[in-house]
Amino acid sequence: MRLILLGPPGSGKGTQAQRLVHKHGIVQLSTGEMLRAAVAAGTPVGLQAKEIMANGGLVPDEVVVGIIADRIEEPDAKKGFILDGFPRTVPQAEALDELLRKRHLKLDAVVELRVNESALLARVEKRAEETRARGEEVRLDDTPEVLTKRLAQYRSMTEPLIHYYSERRKLLTVDGMMTIEHVTRDINRILAAIGAVESKADEPAKKPAKSASKATKTAKKTTKKPAKKATKSAKTAAKPARKAAKGAAKAVAKAKGTNKGAKKAAKKAAKKAASTRKGAKAAKKATKKLTKKRAKR
Ligand code: AMP
């Protein structure tokens, strides 16, 4: 799987990337992390990037594109990767398209974490606090002044990527204002719906049809092809409804005994089954059968 996480500073890209790494066993490629490592090591790239980063600016496109081009060649990136903080400009996105095209690699999706700007300062302050509490050095750019600049950069240079990827039917948007767990669940649900990952784990078995259709809706909003796959997954998720319909039929079979009890059982099963189209049909059929039987008597 190859994925881009898109969102302003403090939107939770890094946190979500780590959770996806953990779950899907692919690598996180964070240009910010790589640049910070280069600054710490005092490499030529680091020396070039240090001032820019401290001021909340963007490191030149050719520098970050060069870093990513090298990094995706490494063996651990062969299985797939999550890009966190790259691309940040349209030229970077174009360069990435070219890099992937040359290697015959496909980008599965771009997940945009949408957040209220007003919440970002508090989030970044919290991140700084937590870093301090761990006894680690706080990022030089995690201050209110630099954050304001980084947000301005995001709006002017990075936000156009929303349109860029939406036009290419790659964009999937998630509400990044929810809890960390909730955002992770939504991302995984969307990835499963578009067929980028196997659907398992987080989805509660009780209401999958509804959840899958929700994912279909989200995928449809921004993608064309993946939406087809999402429908497929919604179909798979409709299985429990079929089961419920079977339950309705069973209730009818049992209805030989007391009429009242049978009616109640069939009604209950029908109600359960009615949550999906297929289930509703089967339930109707089952209820009809029951009515016929009763008429015979
Ligand atoms: P991040 O850790 O993603 O917030 O990035 C920290 C800083 O690194 C940014 O504010 C930029 O100065 C620089 N940076 C990271 N990724 C990029 C990129 N793709 N293009 C340009 N500058 C970047």
Side-chain angles (χ1 to χ4, degrees):
M1 171 174 62
R2 284 166 219 94
L3 196 70
I4 293 174
L5 286 184
L6 194 63
S11 59
K13 298 187 298 292
T15 306
Q16 293 300 331
Q18 277 165 23
R19 293 170 77 92
L20 291 168
V21 162
H22 190 71
K23 187 173 165 76
H24 303 293
I26 49 175
V27 286
Q28 171 189 9
L29 306 185
S30 156
T31 38
E33 287 293 329
M34 293 180 217
L35 287 167
R36 277 187 286 279
V39 170
T43 66
V45 165
L47 293 176
Q48 193 184 350
K50 192 175 179 180
E51 277 294 305
I52 302 171
M53 290 172 76
N55 291 320
L58 287 185
V59 174
D61 289 338
E62 57 280 14
V63 175
V64 280
V65 169
I67 292 177
I68 287 295
D70 291 344
R71 188 62 185 84
I72 63 174
E73 287 296 338
E74 285 179 32
D76 63 348
K78 293 282 178 252
K79 248 179 85 182
F81 47 77
I82 301 165
L83 291 169
D84 155 18
F86 179 91
R88 253 177 161 102
T89 64
V90 170
Q92 287 180 24
E94 287 167 346
L96 175 66
D97 281 348
E98 189 58 15
L99 281 178
L100 295 177
R101 196 186 57 77
K102 275 189 187 154
R103 289 163 181 77
H104 308 289
L105 299 175
K106 187 182 137 259
L107 180 69
D108 290 287
V110 178
V111 176
E112 180 208 357
L113 297 176
R114 197 165 283 178
V115 286
N116 295 342
E117 263 198 23
S118 54
L120 296 178
L121 179 62
R123 279 194 182 189
V124 167
E125 275 174 344
K126 191 172 166 222
R127 177 161 75 191
E129 244 171 56
E130 286 168 355
T131 310
R132 234 175 267 122
R134 284 197 303 270
E136 293 167 17
E137 213 172 302
V138 176
R139 279 171 58 166
L140 287 174
D141 55 357
D142 267 354
T143 64
E145 301 73 42
V146 184
L147 179 71
T148 309
K149 283 191 202 160
R150 289 162 68 203
L151 277 176
Q153 284 281 8
Y154 180 80
R155 259 180 254 122
S156 62
M157 306 301 284
T158 313
E159 242 173 30
L161 292 181
I162 293 172
H163 178 66
Y164 183 92
Y165 286 117
S166 153
E167 262 195 334
R168 284 156 182 77
R169 304 195 180 284
K170 292 285 179 199
L171 191 78
L172 301 164
T173 301
V174 164
D175 178 4
M177 294 306 294
M178 299 177 297
T179 61
I180 293 174
E181 281 75 21
H182 202 138
V183 175
T184 310
R185 225 173 14 240
D186 268 13
I187 296 176
N188 281 320
R189 204 174 276 167
I190 285 178
L191 294 179
I194 64 165
V197 294
E198 267 178 42
S199 129
K200 44 178 178 181
D202 313 307
E203 200 62 76
K206 279 187 229 151
K207 293 184 183 168
K210 203 171 168 193
S211 312
S213 74
K214 207 168 152 194
T216 311
K217 253 190 222 162
T218 322
K220 256 188 191 165
K221 237 192 249 171
T222 40
T223 60
K224 211 174 186 179
K225 255 186 173 173
K228 264 190 197 167
K229 283 185 188 167
T231 313
K232 215 174 163 186
S233 121
K235 272 185 189 167
T236 322
K239 262 186 188 168
R242 286 200 287 273
K243 224 175 162 184
K246 262 189 189 170
K250 253 189 184 171
V252 172
K254 268 190 189 169
K256 280 173 194 158
T258 65
N259 229 3
K260 215 176 163 191
K263 194 182 165 192
K264 216 173 160 189
K267 250 191 180 173
K268 199 174 160 197
K271 206 172 164 194
K272 203 171 163 197
S275 55
T276 70
R277 233 181 337 134
K278 268 191 179 169
K281 256 190 184 173
K284 251 189 190 172
K285 223 172 151 186
T287 317
K288 243 186 190 172
K289 229 173 161 183
L290 172 69
T291 321
K292 256 188 189 173
K293 268 198 172 178
R294 282 173 58 201
K296 264 185 195 173
R297 276 185 215 138

